[in-house]
Amino acid sequence: MVFAGRTAAAVLLFTLAAVPAHAADPIKIGLSGPYTGGSSSMGVSMRDGAKLAAAEINKAGGVLGRPIQLIERDDEAKNEVGAQVAQELINKEKVVASVGFINTGVALAAQRFYQEAEIPVFNNVATGTIITNQFKEPDYEANYVFRNSAYDVLQAGLMVDEALAQNHKKIAILADSTNYGQLGREDIEKYAATKNVKPVVVEKFNIKDVDMTAQLLKAQQAGADVILAYGIGPELAQITNGMAKLGWKVPMITSWPASMQSFIDIAGANGNGVIMPQTFIEDQTLPKRKAFLENYYKTYGVTKIPTPVAGAQAYDSIYLLAAAIKQAGGTDGPKIRAALENLNEKVEGVVTTYDKPFTAKDHNAISRNMVVFGKVQDGKIVYDKAEDAKNAGVVRLKEKSSN
């Protein structure tokens, strides 16, 4: 019996030795955004850009020998849904970090849960200036909110400066009624005041509005010679369509979402000539950018990214997080945050190459010099300025003085 028992034990040990080791546990990262509704072209582009980056990293062996697993959730561009999603990702899915947020209101409602859990959260599209300032010192010892999109103060300054450079004197501001639109409007007014410029009219519109006649008539009657508009694609398009109906044509400078496919589709020819700040234009001048675009088109069966900026910034955010996790040597939230605030290695992205993109006091990776003006031209977003097109292959590093 003893002999038989030893033989059975030996067989068992042999069998266990022959079973391959379990694959390393995945690194779970949340991926939330609006994949349905009016903001979906931004959300889907963001999601798909992030998935491409994760697939590339996993193909190369993952991070610390572990694969990245993206846990996708649709926040429907609704603040309350975004808050619920954040809690689910933290408490049920046990994510170690999260990326996403298209809408400023959703970000403000949801990211507090990551802050409380000491889990880094990456805003790769939302631009409200307050987003990375929500949990700053001295009220908070550590800030777990990061961003690699062009925040609103930066965009607002560029928009006003561009209007003045074009010698426009009478600025009309039109902004949607969301947190995003109203915070952006506020940033425009504050920056314009530093230039001793007071808008001739400031008007509001709602999401899903299709008739901007009343707002445009007030701007026209006030003698506006340029429109600065803050909103997302569908409503920005209705402004151009409203101007066409009135037979009134003045230049229009918008926040970045005029690059959304929905703007292009709804505005049609009326959108030609509209310009907006952009961190990324679909050109293939750099090898990394060329590979990203070719991979995106092939993987998703498209000829252009619905919202290029969202796809590119999301792609880069995954690489930035991967670099931080590698440097941290694990998935401890405070260690990942500390690594992001002092990244040792440069991270080559498609928007730029990130060299010390964050510090403990500055959680915005994008500085003003990285942003160019895009222009709508026959269904595509192209460089507005010849000098930017000429220098498309030049990597723009972050200005160290940026806040």
Side-chain angles (χ1 to χ4, degrees):
M1 292 296 294
V2 175
F3 177 79
R6 288 177 179 174
T7 302
V11 170
L12 177 61
L13 288 173
F14 177 81
T15 302
L16 289 174
V19 175
H22 290 292
D25 290 337
I27 295 173
K28 289 187 174 183
I29 296 175
L31 177 61
S32 61
Y35 308 138
T36 55
S39 298
S40 61
S41 74
M42 292 186 286
V44 169
S45 299
M46 182 276 295
R47 179 194 67 194
D48 291 349
K51 288 168 68 175
L52 282 184
E56 290 175 4
I57 291 168
N58 288 342
K59 187 177 180 180
V63 181
L64 302 175
R66 299 168 61 186
I68 291 175
Q69 181 183 357
L70 298 178
I71 310 297
E72 300 175 30
R73 291 291 185 275
D74 184 357
D75 64 32
E76 303 174 26
K78 296 176 181 177
N79 297 357
E80 65 278 10
V81 176
Q84 292 168 4
V85 164
Q87 293 174 79
E88 180 183 350
L89 289 172
I90 294 167
N91 299 320
K92 181 181 178 182
E93 298 295 343
K94 308 297 183 183
V95 299
V96 302
S98 196
V99 301
F101 297 142
I102 301 298
N103 309 89
T104 293
V106 175
L108 295 176
Q111 64 188 20
R112 62 190 178 93
F113 296 102
Y114 294 103
Q115 176 71 22
E116 291 169 1
E118 297 187 331
I119 294 174
V121 58
F122 229 106
N123 283 267
N124 50 31
V125 179
T127 59
T129 302
I130 192 176
I131 284 172
T132 47
N133 297 328
Q134 194 175 12
F135 306 110
K136 292 191 72 171
E137 58 182 13
D139 296 326
Y140 297 85
E141 291 183 4
N143 181 5
Y144 284 81
V145 180
F146 294 83
R147 169 165 50 196
N148 65 315
S149 59
Y151 55 100
D152 286 344
V153 163
L154 188 157
Q155 290 191 66
L158 285 165
M159 292 166 67
V160 171
D161 283 345
E162 182 64 19
L164 297 178
Q166 294 180 13
N167 204 34
H168 297 301
K169 306 295 185 183
K170 297 183 176 181
I171 294 173
I173 301 175
L174 274 65
D176 74 35
S177 58
T178 67
N179 282 333
Y180 168 69
Q182 290 306 300
L183 290 171
R185 183 267 308 158
E186 184 179 308
D187 286 336
I188 291 176
E189 289 192 84
K190 286 180 178 179
Y191 187 85
T194 68
K195 301 294 182 179
N196 298 315
V197 173
K198 183 176 177 59
V200 296
V201 68
V202 177
E203 287 293 313
K204 183 189 299 185
F205 55 88
N206 295 317
I207 295 295
K208 296 185 179 180
D209 279 358
V210 295
D211 186 357
M212 305 291 181
T213 303
Q215 296 94 326
L216 289 169
L217 282 173
K218 289 180 180 179
Q220 186 180 36
Q221 291 164 3
D225 59 5
V226 65
I227 290 178
L228 303 189
Y230 233 89
I232 62 173
E235 290 74 40
L236 293 177
Q238 296 298 351
I239 296 175
T240 67
N241 292 344
M243 292 169 65
K245 290 177 183 177
L246 292 174
W248 183 47
K249 186 66 175 177
V250 295
M252 182 166 154
I253 305 171
T254 80
S255 51
W256 78 267
S259 62
M260 291 172 61
Q261 188 63 41
S262 57
F263 176 88
I264 292 170
D265 291 343
I266 296 170
N270 297 330
N272 282 341
V274 170
I275 66 172
M276 77 300 292
Q278 298 282 277
T279 60
F280 179 81
I281 303 287
E282 281 181 283
D283 71 70
Q284 300 191 15
T285 51
L286 295 170
K288 181 83 171 181
R289 193 172 293 171
K290 182 176 186 295
F292 163 70
L293 290 172
E294 289 178 348
N295 193 10
Y296 193 105
Y297 301 153
K298 180 180 179 181
T299 301
Y300 303 112
V302 297
T303 57
K304 70 180 297 295
I305 303 175
T307 305
V309 165
Q313 290 171 177
Y315 177 90
D316 286 1
S317 71
I318 297 297
Y319 272 97
L320 285 164
L321 261 181
I325 292 170
K326 178 183 175 183
Q327 182 173 315
T331 56
D332 177 72
K335 289 182 179 179
I336 296 174
R337 173 194 55 76
L340 282 168
E341 291 175 344
N342 187 32
L343 280 176
N344 294 328
E345 67 175 88
K346 293 181 181 180
V347 177
E348 185 183 7
V350 293
V351 170
T352 188
T353 294
Y354 301 87
D355 183 12
K356 302 288 185 185
F358 307 110
T359 66
K361 294 185 177 181
D362 179 9
H363 282 199
N364 289 297
I366 302 298
S367 56
R368 182 171 171 137
N369 69 307
M370 295 178 177
V371 184
V372 299
F373 273 96
K375 177 174 66 178
V376 180
Q377 181 175 298
D378 300 327
K380 294 183 178 181
I381 305 299
V382 300
Y383 288 99
D384 177 53
K385 302 182 187 305
E387 62 192 80
D388 288 330
K390 181 181 179 181
N391 296 323
V394 177
V395 174
R396 302 172 186 233
L397 297 177
K398 183 179 179 181
E399 295 172 322
K400 299 302 180 182
S401 60
S402 174
N403 292 309

